[in-house]
Amino acid sequence: MAEENWKPKIIAIICNWCSYAGADLAGGARIQYPPDVRAIRVMCTGRVDPLFILKAFQDGADGVLVSGCHFGDCHYLEGNYKCAKRMFLLKSVLKNLGIDDKRLRMTFVSASEGAKWGTVMTDVIKTVKDLGPSPIKEFAK
Amino acid sequence: MAEVNKKEEQPRIGVFVCHCGTNIAGSVNIQDVMDYAKTLPNVAVSDEYQYMCSTPGQGKIADAIKEHNLTGIVVAACSPRLHEPTFRNATKAGGLNPFRFEMANIREQNSWVHMHQPEEATEKAKDAVRIAVAKASKLEDLYPKSVPVEKTAMVVGGGVGGMQAALDLADAGIKTYLVEKTPTIGGRMSQLDKTFPTLDCSQCILTPKMVDVFRNENIELLTYTEVEEVAGYIGNFDVTLRKKARGVITPDEAEAKGIVGGGCTGCGDCVAVCPVIKPNPFELGMAPRKAIYVYHPQVVPLIYTVDFDSCVKCGLCVEACGDKKAIDLEMEDELMTVKVGTVVLATGYEIFPIEKKFEWGYKNFDNVITSLEFERLICASGPTGGKLIRPSDGDKPKKVAFVLCAGSRDTTGIGKPYCSRFCCMYSLKHAHQIIEKMPGAIPYIFYMDIRSFGKMYEEFYYRIQDEGAKFIRGRVANITEDPETKNLYVHAEDTLLGRPVDLEVDMVVLAAAIQPTAETEKTRRLFGVSCSQDGWLLEAHPKLNPCGTTTAGVYLAGVCQGPKDIPDTVAQAEGAASAASIPIHKGEVELEPYFAQCIEEKCAGCGLCVPQCPYSALALVEKDGRTVMQVTEAKCKGCGTCGGFCPGGAIWMQHFATPQIVAQIDAFLLGGEQ
Ligand SMILES: Cc1cc2nc3c(=O)[nH]c(=O)nc-3n(C[C@H](O)[C@H](O)[C@H](O)COP(=O)(O)OP(=O)(O)OC[C@H]3O[C@@H](n4cnc5c(N)ncnc54)[C@H](O)[C@@H]3O)c2cc1C
Ligand code: SF4
Ligand code: SF4
Ligand code: FES
């Protein structure tokens, strides 16, 4: 398990139209959640190249979250389906590389689900904390 | 093809950290973040200000660009969804391309959600600035594309909201299609008897508007029509409509077919002979209707409609219609496509199925009715000619209980958590109508609190109190029935007196909650509009953009966006019409230049990206003897799905390019103190 003061490094790649808006709404409602996630905004989760995620893990990320619109709600119709398919494949790649696939998570949070964004944040951070630091960091030591 | 290889320049970034009063400064140490920004690679200057979005704040950006010869700007403040346009303008004012701006969200996604963790919030803000600086260092000049706007509009839904929006658009000189799914325009308002607080007769103020819509030369009225498919974007929507088979043709259609003097004149001869009898939905099933029908005498257009679900095709009506040859029992649905620049959605609402709250006995006890049924019963043109009678025995009720918030403000999970906003007021109206029409009868109003917030509404409330209506504050727990007399017992707690009430009445009227229509989900998906948690269509901003949506060119009017009464519906409709006319009058719109570009040297011509694009914007072409992918910019909406897929990294997504995103990832994970 992790050392006492270890703080996980978690990156979230989130779509502009749903999850980013949902995260903003959580702010408007002053929903409090732990601060360990850093977000990068893309227009749609369809933009998420699996290599971005591999790059993040290679850089030492302890967890990656990809979050978009609910199925059927994607601003560009089907970017989230395409992304979900890629994430599914990527999870098996990660497993084969010895990275617990729970470190990669895809969620669907709409523009009106501020409270859900808070829950997702809390949950993702807890999952990664329970898993401890990424093995890639250890490997590089 | 835009150049995709960036010129090698040493980035010089200016960072500006906003206090937002205490909104950000309350939990993020601004000085710390500003000092930290100075230590980052490529940062030429960093500054802070109370309100960056204010004129002096924006001025700081423009001045710094000139003074420090900056190549990129980072503002750490609120959400880019709020102020990205503001700061892009400020960047432009300083002489830089507006797309050389990147925002770090340290309010909505930081100070407001980590209010009690100032240290962590400050660390997170530093990371956000570092990530933004990394992206800003790699931003390029971009130029929005202007596209011409089709000079036509569409309004979906012909209730009072949709009619008002269509009239305003038409009067502004814009050709407008008004699409209504039922055979007539008018919406819910045509089912109402009187309207609060002025008590004008609903039909009397509505019918002239319906006729105006029908006569307006700029309005093409498409009743009994539904939206089937939507393609395109602001300025250029292609909307496919399904004109449902009405079984009856208009005089114009008859003329086009060469039937002289033919077409439906609304005489109703067909109705007399039709043998099929069905409940009339306009009268909420309280009156019959034939298989060929009009909803009510004032329908617009005055054309009969065949209900093919119940028609037995006996042909009697065709005979009765005679030489007018208006009836065609073999008619089929027709599809048509129209091009419009902007769209207003005004699809209204439906009544919550209040039988789900079984404790009030609706559909179980004859004399428990809904407020909408009350409107029809009290209406002179309604099924009883305006006599309020008990469904069980046709007697006049003497004591009538009104149950407010029936299914509204209900957090049990069965009803709706929101306030339906007009039930208090129309129940006061109903109480007045009882007192006025039925001397000696007493209305009892069971309420949680009376919400009479509009102009002259509170005064109306006092008036009804003076007229003798009885008010009992308390939610009705349940209603029971005396099986002999069919009288009802209303069980509640009077929370003002702190004692239980068991009141025997002759009739109960449930002010049932309202809810989004069953088709709302389909409609919003067709137009790419979101909904709020409770299912109402979502406005672009609850305060600053209540008529817009997140889909450019699509606007909202009336109850489809959330409960509102007629004055508010009409006001919003005028706002939506005005918003929808702006792009049309401007003549062109700017599209964000987030297009995909093919990096031809890297493209293998495999074509794998082509099916990834939901808008068919990609194709393989022959160029200089090899096959490469080509993007049609006019079709590309910039989602980046192709860019996320290309195995060769051969797609450059403008403003979200791979090197830009990787720089953000690296900046977060490698750029901090290790
Ligand atoms: C019992 C009762 C009493 C009321 N009394 C009053 C009163 O006294 N004063 C007052 O101010 N307000 C009153 N109201 C509220 C009033 O009914 C609404 O404010 C008003 O009808 C809202 O108009 P709208 O155009 O938004 O929606 P609607 O009237 O519901 O019109 C929506 C229209 O869109 C059509 N439509 C729906 N979906 C589609 C689709 N997918 N495609 C095409 N067309 C579609 C529908 O057929 C309908 O014609 C009352 C409401 C109730 C229930
Ligand atoms: S997927 Fe990439 S390499 Fe293949 S055609 Fe498309 S752009 Fe070219
Ligand atoms: S960015 Fe999206 S819309 Fe544009 S070409 Fe790629 S897949 Fe199509
Ligand atoms: S826009 Fe949100 S997932 Fe596509």
Side-chain angles (χ1 to χ4, degrees):
Chain A
M1 250 320 287
E3 320 108 60
E4 272 297 289
N5 291 324
W6 171 71
K7 283 192 190 131
K9 287 199 163 220
I10 305 172
I11 194 159
I13 309 183
I14 61 184
C15 86
N16 178 62
W17 302 100
C18 290
S19 290
Y20 201 92
D24 279 355
L25 189 70
R30 309 297 193 276
I31 289 164
Q32 303 296 300
Y33 56 77
D36 308 83
V37 176
R38 307 288 182 263
I40 289 181
R41 182 171 67 121
V42 289
M43 293 313 279
C44 173
T45 56
R47 177 67 189 100
V48 180
D49 190 320
L51 293 178
F52 296 164
I53 291 160
L54 288 177
K55 183 73 171 83
F57 280 119
Q58 190 196 356
D59 285 358
D62 299 302
V64 176
L65 169 71
V66 175
S67 191
C69 312
H70 288 279
F71 288 139
D73 273 3
C74 171
H75 197 68
Y76 311 94
L77 313 173
E78 46 196 41
N80 51 359
Y81 284 104
K82 303 234 162 89
C83 179
K85 234 158 106 182
R86 290 175 206 157
M87 293 308 113
F88 184 72
L89 288 174
L90 187 58
K91 272 175 166 279
S92 71
V93 172
L94 288 176
K95 247 190 258 175
N96 282 316
L97 292 174
I99 299 172
D100 194 312
D101 69 346
K102 285 201 285 298
R103 292 186 187 275
L104 169 62
R105 171 105 170 253
M106 182 164 189
T107 60
F108 308 94
V109 177
S110 80
S112 62
E113 293 176 328
K116 180 167 175 196
W117 180 254
T119 319
V120 164
M121 287 290 98
T122 308
D123 208 57
V124 165
I125 293 165
K126 181 175 185 311
T127 308
V128 174
K129 278 192 171 164
D130 288 349
L131 288 168
S134 157
I136 292 188
K137 281 188 198 152
E138 294 304 308
F139 172 78
K141 265 185 195 159
Chain B
M1 170 82 15
E3 41 101 49
V4 287
N5 287 321
K6 307 301 133 249
K7 32 180 189 319
E8 293 298 323
E9 58 184 359
Q10 183 56 43
R12 297 175 55 77
I13 309 296
V15 177
F16 301 85
V17 189
C18 182
H19 295 239
C20 195
T22 55
N23 277 302
I24 297 171
S27 24
V28 171
N29 185 327
I30 305 289
Q31 185 71 37
D32 236 22
V33 176
M34 187 185 91
D35 291 344
Y36 171 76
K38 285 208 179 90
T39 69
L40 291 170
N42 298 336
V43 173
V45 55
S46 85
D47 202 350
E48 43 76 37
Y49 194 65
Q50 277 291 326
Y51 292 102
M52 278 307 297
C53 57
S54 66
T55 312
Q58 294 189 48
K60 270 179 183 281
I61 297 174
D63 292 346
I65 292 173
K66 291 178 197 138
E67 190 179 330
H68 299 276
N69 191 24
L70 301 177
T71 63
I73 298 295
V74 167
V75 174
C78 51
S79 170
R81 292 177 54 89
L82 188 66
H83 271 321
E84 190 174 62
T86 315
F87 294 122
R88 275 188 180 161
N89 280 337
T91 305
K92 196 173 164 190
L96 261 188
N97 181 286
F99 291 89
R100 288 181 175 258
F101 166 75
E102 178 68 11
M103 202 148 176
N105 182 338
I106 60 168
R107 191 180 78 173
E108 282 83 346
Q109 298 186 24
N110 189 340
S111 66
W112 278 353
V113 289
H114 313 308
M115 293 173 77
H116 315 296
Q117 292 166 284
E119 258 168 55
E120 284 88 345
T122 304
E123 282 315 302
K124 186 170 171 177
K126 289 181 186 172
D127 285 352
V129 166
R130 191 169 71 244
I131 293 170
V133 167
K135 178 151 182 192
S137 303
K138 291 195 179 285
L139 288 175
E140 47 175 345
D141 289 355
L142 293 176
Y143 301 91
K145 208 184 170 68
S146 281
V147 292
V149 175
E150 195 67 36
K151 300 225 169 290
T152 51
M154 175 174 288
V155 177
V156 184
V160 64
M163 290 195 299
Q164 186 65 49
L167 282 169
D168 283 9
L169 283 161
D171 288 344
I174 296 164
K175 154 128 204 191
T176 305
Y177 297 94
L178 176 55
V179 178
E180 165 60 48
K181 70 171 181 189
T182 70
T184 177
I185 50 174
R188 287 284 165 212
M189 198 179 156
S190 45
Q191 286 176 296
L192 308 181
D193 180 39
K194 294 207 160 112
T195 54
F196 62 75
T198 46
L199 299 173
D200 342 48
C201 139
S202 188
Q203 283 282 11
C204 312
I205 54 175
L206 187 69
T207 314
K209 234 187 216 326
M210 291 162 67
V211 175
D212 283 352
V213 168
F214 187 65
R215 291 228 185 95
N216 195 304
E217 287 192 339
N218 275 336
I219 298 180
E220 183 163 338
L221 180 56
L222 297 161
T223 52
Y224 215 37
T225 301
E226 280 171 14
V227 178
E228 185 90 359
E229 217 181 296
V230 183
Y233 47 88
I234 180 170
N236 298 278
F237 290 106
D238 290 300
V239 186
T240 305
L241 301 169
R242 174 178 293 274
K243 285 184 80 174
K244 289 180 281 183
R246 184 170 207 148
V248 177
I249 57 171
T250 64
D252 286 349
E253 287 163 345
E255 202 178 300
K257 286 188 171 178
I259 310 170
V260 187
C264 179
T265 59
C267 66
D269 290 349
C270 49
V271 176
V273 298
C274 177
V276 180
I277 295 179
K278 286 274 158 186
N280 183 351
F282 180 81
E283 300 294 1
L284 308 165
M286 295 183 293
R289 111 178 161 193
K290 298 291 186 70
I292 187 161
Y293 67 97
V294 287
Y295 264 3
H296 56 86
Q298 286 94 350
V299 292
V300 170
L302 181 52
I303 305 282
Y304 278 73
T305 303
V306 178
D307 170 19
F308 282 109
D309 289 338
S310 59
C311 169
V312 293
K313 299 216 173 169
C314 61
L316 289 173
C317 55
V318 179
E319 239 170 76
C321 188
D323 289 344
K324 293 193 289 298
K325 294 201 171 93
I327 302 172
D328 172 5
L329 295 177
E330 303 308 319
M331 194 183 267
E332 282 180 2
D333 290 3
E334 260 175 60
L335 293 182
M336 62 185 277
T337 301
V338 295
K339 231 184 190 336
V340 296
T342 55
V343 177
V344 175
L345 299 179
T347 52
Y349 65 100
E350 63 187 31
I351 309 285
F352 170 75
I354 197 65
E355 60 274 19
K356 283 194 184 165
K357 299 289 287 183
F358 61 88
E359 60 270 36
W360 295 324
Y362 181 65
K363 287 204 171 156
N364 241 341
F365 305 149
D366 290 348
N367 295 328
V368 176
I369 65 170
T370 65
S371 298
L372 198 57
E373 288 167 339
F374 182 94
E375 294 279 350
R376 293 316 303 148
L377 290 174
I378 203 85
C379 179
S381 63
T384 56
K387 285 190 199 71
L388 181 67
I389 50 169
R390 294 183 1 135
S392 67
D393 48 21
D395 282 354
K396 275 193 180 171
K398 297 219 168 46
K399 290 170 145 192
V400 182
F402 290 89
V403 178
L404 271 56
C405 301
S408 302
R409 306 170 71 194
D410 176 335
T411 48
T412 60
I414 300 169
K416 302 289 170 184
Y418 48 80
C419 163
S420 295
R421 279 191 93 202
F422 40 65
C423 329
C424 282
M425 286 305 294
Y426 70 57
S427 296
L428 294 175
K429 168 183 80 179
H430 293 168
H432 164 83
Q433 286 174 298
I434 287 188
I435 293 168
E436 184 187 57
K437 273 200 160 179
M438 304 162 64
I442 307 172
Y444 294 86
I445 298 181
F446 290 85
Y447 69 103
M448 283 164 69
D449 36 32
I450 296 287
R451 298 189 162 175
S452 49
F453 46 79
K455 190 170 176 179
M456 299 305 287
Y457 288 13
E458 189 72 4
E459 291 83 343
F460 187 69
Y461 176 25
Y462 298 148
R463 172 175 164 192
I464 309 309
Q465 283 176 329
D466 290 344
E467 286 178 353
K470 305 267 184 260
F471 289 83
I472 300 146
R473 199 186 84 179
R475 210 187 245 285
V476 173
N478 67 321
I479 291 168
T480 49
E481 184 193 51
D482 179 337
E484 297 256 302
T485 61
K486 300 280 180 187
N487 282 355
L488 302 155
Y489 295 88
V490 183
H491 308 285
E493 190 195 323
D494 186 326
T495 53
L496 289 179
L497 298 178
R499 63 170 189 223
V501 184
D502 301 284
L503 182 73
E504 184 181 358
V505 296
D506 309 307
M507 186 176 225
V508 170
V509 183
L510 302 175
I514 59 164
Q515 64 182 17
T517 63
E519 299 111 344
T520 302
E521 191 61 17
K522 183 183 154 210
T523 313
R524 77 174 185 83
R525 293 214 157 145
L526 282 171
F527 288 96
V529 172
S530 307
C531 63
S532 33
Q533 208 124 32
D534 42 27
W536 302 106
L537 297 180
L538 189 65
E539 63 282 357
H541 190 282
K543 290 153 216 160
L544 305 179
N545 194 351
C547 298
T549 68
T550 48
T551 297
V554 180
Y555 309 87
L556 304 176
V559 181
C560 64
Q561 181 258 340
K564 52 182 76 65
D565 57 17
I566 296 163
D568 286 359
T569 294
V570 172
Q572 194 187 20
E574 302 214 89
S578 147
S581 69
I582 291 170
I584 292 177
H585 285 315
K586 221 170 149 193
E588 55 175 34
V589 281
E590 283 192 345
L591 301 182
E592 301 227 69
Y594 302 158
F595 312 116
Q597 301 277 343
C598 179
I599 309 172
E600 290 174 5
E601 312 87 81
K602 287 191 181 177
C603 175
C606 64
L608 287 173
C609 56
V610 174
Q612 289 286 310
C613 177
Y615 305 105
S616 315
L618 307 179
L620 290 183
V621 293
E622 293 300 315
K623 216 169 175 184
D624 306 328
R626 47 190 285 259
T627 307
V628 290
M629 180 275 273
Q630 194 174 51
V631 183
T632 307
E633 274 189 9
K635 288 188 181 171
C636 172
K637 293 201 185 184
C639 63
T641 305
C642 55
F645 189 75
C646 172
I651 298 177
W652 181 270
M653 281 310 308
Q654 297 189 161
H655 213 66
F656 293 92
T658 298
Q660 296 167 347
I661 294 176
V662 170
Q664 289 177 290
I665 296 171
D666 287 351
F668 167 41
L669 295 159
L670 306 176
E673 305 100 285
Q674 300 287 302

